[in-house]
């Protein structure tokens, strides 16, 4: 589903990703863990081309991200094509980023009507169904500012799901939440994983990674230090760096 | 607080002595102001009465501010026509200014250096020269370009040809162009402030849904930027209302031009200035009310509960006072 080969990325001369390789199979949950500044979020943002990678090859569903290979050359895709491809990848942010001026229902509807050109009533019906799925059907008339962090993040998940994505990216979805609200968001994500969604999750929730992930990748300083089965990686780490990281977060 | 634990005690509030002196001073000043504006004084014209063979003369009592003359000209056709032109100038120039400002602000934020540079230069030029100079320039543009043709540049192919610019392009239109272009420069900075104020995460979220840059601007960024853009734009509209009086310098008879025309004939300068001022104040008041409701509309979602309208606030106050009376009557038995 997602194939990352030798991807590099630098910001103003600082190399944030140093030749990263990663493979995500369909219907699998992959967790990216690591200290802050290790490049986890950057890698995630490269997958839906929110950031342009400098080198290497990135494929989603077999197709190159942001480029097209023709006649032995790489052609940069037009904004329109990039947007079209991006609409098949859902993304959930650390700070929710719900549209503040729209109600909960409109937040979940706008992508469907504006990007996928789905009729308003049909889009609303789908939005209501998804809000019920994340347990927020009673809040459809509220504005984001009137909801708790956990509720906002569940709406954000519903908003991403409304586009019927084939892949979901989560960028530290519970890091901005009060401890007692983390559970409600993780529960929604667990349900989603069970339903067979392909997910890449940047997280500090080791419990979630151990329970739900099929593969865990540990990034440090822009390289993948260790990866594999979560039970093995999280309980019997082989690298010193991962050992010291786990001793701090667990 | 009127209890200390379970024991009822009398609480003595702090006395603000200095504040009371201040209030007394201000009240005196206000009283003097009202007196001088509303009361009559003896004028130099005398009337004489003879009672019991004794002739006594005293000045005729008139309003210092000549309110009778104010009333006489307040709704005169020249003044009302001037008012109409003032409103027309303000509205059209502001619409041009807002549209231009939005375009220039978006250009200024473009990743393309040429677009951003042109936008910057436009703002630099039109903010950097006096609006009076710009209005005069446009009013006399015919001196620079006696003929204007619209067609394919650097060829002789023309679709529209204006032979006598001085006649076709009226001074009213010149003033509108001048005020609109000048306003565009100021509005572009206001619009840019609004666009910058929207959190980057909003754009990222819109982008991740597959929206194009244009869609995220139109559907997500601009509606939220409006909250920041409206208050200073309200300022600009009110400022424009008064700046439009500069049109009188190129013989456009808007409100100020109309009253100065009248006072040039009858020398009643002060009352006619008052006529104009009252009209400017009335329009400003109407605009401020409009701004309040516009702000309230665009604040949706930004606040947990929208601020009450003045009418709602009045109703709430009335209810509050009414309930106070009710509890006072019921208090003797209940002990609330």
């Amino acid at each position: 589903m997602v194939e990352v080969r030798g991807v590099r990325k630098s910001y103003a001369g600082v190399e944030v990703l140093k030749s990263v390789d990663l493979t995500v199979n369909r219907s699998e949950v992959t967790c990216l863990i690591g200290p802050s500044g290790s490049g986890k979020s950057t890698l995630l943002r490269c997958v839906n081309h929110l950031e342009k990678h400098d080198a290497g090859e990135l494929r989603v569903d077999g197709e190159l991200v942001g480029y097209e290979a023709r006649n032995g050359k790489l052609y940069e895709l037009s904004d329109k094509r990039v947007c079209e491809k991006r609409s098949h990848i859902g993304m959930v942010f650390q700070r929710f980023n719900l549209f503040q001026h729209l109600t909960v229902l409109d937040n979940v509807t706008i992508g469907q009507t504006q990007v996928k050109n789905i009729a308003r009533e049909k889009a609303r019906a789908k939005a209501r169904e998804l809000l019920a799925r994340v347990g927020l059907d009673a809040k459809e008339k509220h504005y984001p500012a009137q909801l708790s962090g956990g509720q906002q993040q569940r709406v954000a998940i519903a908003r991403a799901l409304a586009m019927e994505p084939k892949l979901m990216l989560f960028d530290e979805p519970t890091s901005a939440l009060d401890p007692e609200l983390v559970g409600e968001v993780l529960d929604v994500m667990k349900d989603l994983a069970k339903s067979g969604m392909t997910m890449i999750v940047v997280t500090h929730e080791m419990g979630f990674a151990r329970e739900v992930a099929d593969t865990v990748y540990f990034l440090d300083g822009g390289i993948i230090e260790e990866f594999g089965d979560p039970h093995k990686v999280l309980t019997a780490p082989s690298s010193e760096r991962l050992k010291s990281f786990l001793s701090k977060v667990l | 607080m009127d209890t200390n634990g379970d024991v009822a005690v009398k609480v003595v509030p702090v006395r603000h002595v200095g504040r009371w002196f201040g209030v007394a001073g201000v009240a005196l000043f206000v009283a003097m102001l009202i007196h001088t504006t509303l009361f009559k004084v003896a004028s130099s014209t005398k009337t004489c009465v003879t009672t019991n063979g004794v002739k006594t003369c005293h000045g005729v009592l008139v309003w210092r501010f000549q309110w009778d003359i104010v009333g006489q000209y307040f709704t005169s056709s020249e003044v009302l026509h001037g008012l109409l032109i003032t409103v027309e100038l303000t509205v059209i120039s502001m619409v041009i200014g807002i549209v231009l400002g939005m375009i220039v602000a978006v250009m200024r934020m473009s990743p393309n250096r040429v677009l951003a540079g042109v936008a910057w230069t436009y703002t630099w030029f039109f903010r950097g020269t006096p609006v009076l100079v710009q209005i005069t320039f446009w009013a006399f543009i015919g001196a620079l370009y006696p003929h204007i043709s619209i067609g394919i540049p650097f060829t002789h192919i023309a679709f529209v040809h204006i032979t006598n610019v001085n006649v076709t392009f009226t001074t009213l239109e010149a003033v509108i162009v001048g005020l609109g272009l000048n306003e565009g420069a100021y509005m572009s900075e206001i619009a840019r402030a609004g666009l910058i104020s929207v959190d980057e995460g909003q754009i990222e979220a819109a982008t991740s849904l597959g929206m194009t840059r244009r869609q995220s601007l139109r559907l997500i960024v601009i509606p939220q930027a409006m909250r920041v853009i409206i208050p200073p734009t309200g300022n600009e509209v009110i400022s424009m209302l008064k700046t439009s009086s500069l049109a009188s310098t190129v013989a456009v008879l808007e409100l100020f031009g109309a009253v100065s025309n009248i006072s040039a004939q009858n020398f009643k300068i002060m009352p006619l200035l008052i006529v104009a001022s009252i009209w400017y104040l009335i329009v400003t008041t109407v605009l401020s009310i409009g701004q309040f409701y516009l702000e309230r509309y665009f604040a949706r979602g930004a606040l947990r509960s929208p601020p009450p309208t003045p009418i709602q606030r009045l109703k709430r106050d009335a209810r509050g006072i009414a309930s106070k009376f009710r509890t006072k009557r019921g208090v003797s038995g209940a002990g609330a």
Side-chain angles (χ1 to χ4, degrees):
Chain A
M1 185 78 188
V2 179
E3 291 206 48
V4 179
R5 295 285 163 263
V7 162
R8 290 171 183 275
K9 171 80 191 171
S10 357
Y11 291 110
V14 181
E15 201 161 41
V16 190
L17 292 177
K18 299 168 185 165
S19 190
V20 170
D21 293 319
L22 175 143
T23 309
V24 178
N25 296 318
R26 196 175 296 276
S27 296
E28 270 187 12
V29 177
T30 304
C31 282
L32 306 180
I33 61 168
S36 56
S38 59
K40 318 176 291 279
S41 290
T42 307
L43 177 58
L44 197 70
R45 293 158 65 88
C46 282
V47 173
N48 72 347
H49 211 51
L50 223 46
E51 304 280 355
K52 275 185 192 171
H53 51 288
D54 299 334
E57 198 181 283
L58 225 156
R59 280 175 191 276
V60 173
D61 226 6
E63 287 179 41
L64 283 176
V65 172
Y67 298 91
E68 191 175 36
R70 259 189 292 132
N71 319 325
K73 286 182 200 162
L74 279 185
Y75 289 88
E76 207 174 335
L77 290 179
S78 68
D79 285 348
K80 212 173 168 184
R81 292 280 305 281
V82 172
C83 287
E84 200 277 323
K85 286 192 168 188
R86 217 183 253 136
S87 70
H88 302 299
I89 304 172
M91 185 153 188
V92 174
F93 299 86
Q94 182 178 353
R95 289 185 302 122
F96 333 132
N97 296 346
L98 289 180
F99 303 131
Q100 299 294 319
H101 63 304
L102 300 178
T103 61
V104 164
L105 187 67
D106 288 341
N107 261 282
V108 187
T109 312
I110 193 165
Q112 301 182 64
T113 54
Q114 298 292 331
V115 179
K116 295 180 81 181
N117 294 319
I118 293 171
R120 199 176 150 86
E121 279 317 307
K122 212 178 149 201
R124 289 196 151 183
K126 178 155 187 83
R128 290 205 171 96
E129 182 190 308
L130 285 165
L131 284 173
R133 186 166 160 193
V134 299
L136 285 171
D137 40 339
K139 300 278 186 187
E140 65 167 61
K141 287 203 174 69
H142 286 61
Y143 284 99
Q146 297 166 322
L147 303 181
S148 73
Q151 291 171 332
Q152 289 194 48
Q153 195 61 297
R154 279 145 66 200
V155 174
I157 294 172
R159 175 177 69 178
L161 289 177
M163 301 301 287
E164 299 186 325
K166 50 191 178 189
L167 168 70
M168 282 284 283
L169 309 174
F170 293 84
D171 190 1
E172 301 196 27
T174 56
S175 298
L177 295 177
D178 289 340
E180 80 271 22
L181 302 177
V182 169
E184 62 186 66
V185 172
L186 291 183
D187 286 344
V188 169
M189 290 169 64
K190 282 174 200 166
D191 279 350
L192 199 56
K194 257 182 232 153
S195 74
M197 176 63 75
T198 314
M199 293 160 64
I200 305 179
V201 186
V202 170
T203 188
H204 291 294
E205 295 292 329
M206 296 305 148
F208 175 80
R210 190 178 302 141
E211 190 185 333
V212 183
D214 294 290
T215 319
V216 169
Y217 283 79
F218 171 65
L219 273 91
D220 191 20
I223 50 170
I224 288 170
E225 278 281 321
E226 201 168 332
F227 72 97
D229 179 75
H231 295 280
K232 191 184 147 289
V233 172
L234 296 175
T235 47
S238 53
S239 81
E240 283 307 313
R241 278 177 162 172
L242 181 52
K243 272 180 201 162
S244 91
F245 174 72
L246 289 175
S247 72
K248 281 176 207 150
V249 295
L250 286 177
Chain B
M1 190 170 74
D2 52 6
T3 56
N4 186 359
D6 289 337
V7 190
V9 289
K10 185 167 166 51
V11 179
V12 184
V14 177
R15 307 265 183 248
H16 300 278
V17 181
R19 211 178 279 173
W20 281 109
F21 276 110
V23 169
V26 169
L28 184 68
F29 183 72
V30 170
M32 285 165 68
L33 211 61
I34 291 171
H35 178 262
T36 190
T37 47
L38 294 185
F39 283 77
K40 292 185 173 183
V41 288
S43 71
S44 52
T45 337
K46 304 245 186 230
T47 51
C48 299
V49 233
T50 317
T51 33
N52 304 332
V54 187
K55 191 182 172 194
T56 48
C57 294
H58 42 80
V60 176
L61 288 179
V62 291
W63 277 303
R64 189 189 293 277
F65 279 76
Q66 293 169 282
W67 293 111
D68 45 338
I69 296 167
V70 172
Q72 190 186 324
Y73 284 100
F74 193 66
T75 51
S76 72
S77 64
E78 294 104 308
V79 169
L80 290 183
H81 187 248
L83 176 69
L84 196 70
I85 294 191
T86 289
V87 171
E88 193 185 322
L89 276 176
T90 308
V91 171
I92 300 176
S93 309
M94 264 330 281
V95 169
I96 295 174
I98 290 169
V99 171
L100 216 54
M102 269 296 182
I103 295 169
V104 172
V106 172
M107 272 171 71
R108 181 89 188 270
M109 292 164 80
S110 161
N112 185 306
R113 286 273 188 83
V114 175
L115 291 180
V118 167
W120 182 88
T121 312
Y122 166 80
T123 310
W124 168 77
F125 184 81
F126 284 92
R127 271 199 322 186
T129 51
V131 65
L132 181 57
V133 172
Q134 291 173 33
I135 289 172
T136 318
F137 175 86
W138 291 109
F140 294 102
I141 189 72
L144 271 185
Y145 296 98
H147 318 289
I148 292 176
S149 42
I150 299 165
I152 299 165
F154 308 113
T155 65
H156 291 292
I157 303 160
F159 308 123
V160 183
H161 194 74
I162 302 165
T163 43
N164 199 338
V165 172
N166 266 331
V167 178
T168 333
F169 188 52
T170 66
T171 42
L172 183 70
E173 286 160 0
V175 171
I176 287 173
V177 168
L179 289 175
L181 284 174
N182 184 262
E183 190 54 39
Y186 286 93
M187 278 308 302
S188 75
E189 287 295 275
I190 292 173
R192 198 164 66 91
L195 296 178
I196 292 172
S197 77
V198 178
D199 184 47
E200 189 82 23
Q202 297 284 311
I203 303 164
E204 279 183 2
T207 312
S208 77
L209 284 180
M211 287 190 194
T212 59
R213 189 177 135 84
R214 187 187 286 252
Q215 278 178 319
S216 75
L217 258 178
R218 181 169 59 88
L219 300 167
I220 308 300
V221 179
I222 291 175
Q224 294 186 64
M226 288 311 267
R227 200 170 115 73
V228 174
I229 291 174
I230 285 171
T233 303
N235 243 354
E236 288 298 306
V237 177
I238 289 167
S239 168
M240 175 64 84
L241 176 74
K242 294 167 298 168
T243 308
S244 68
S245 62
L246 290 178
S248 63
T249 60
V250 289
V252 171
L253 290 184
E254 42 63 69
L255 184 52
F256 181 75
V259 299
S260 27
N261 233 15
I262 299 169
S263 61
Q265 288 159 26
N266 65 8
F267 303 111
K268 307 281 186 196
I269 296 171
M270 286 301 176
L272 279 154
L273 285 182
I274 292 171
V275 167
S277 300
I278 293 175
W279 275 120
Y280 281 121
L281 282 170
I282 288 173
V283 180
T284 303
T285 309
V286 171
L287 290 172
S288 306
I289 294 169
Q291 183 185 339
F292 175 85
Y293 284 97
L294 212 57
E295 259 176 52
R296 203 166 172 277
Y297 172 76
F298 280 107
R300 69 198 194 282
L303 307 165
R304 283 173 194 225
S305 54
T309 63
I311 295 164
Q312 286 172 340
R313 204 178 306 159
L314 274 177
K315 275 185 186 163
R316 198 181 55 190
D317 289 351
R319 267 202 302 277
I321 292 165
S323 71
K324 216 165 227 177
F325 275 113
R326 268 201 298 280
T327 47
K328 238 178 204 166
R329 260 187 280 131
V331 87
S332 52

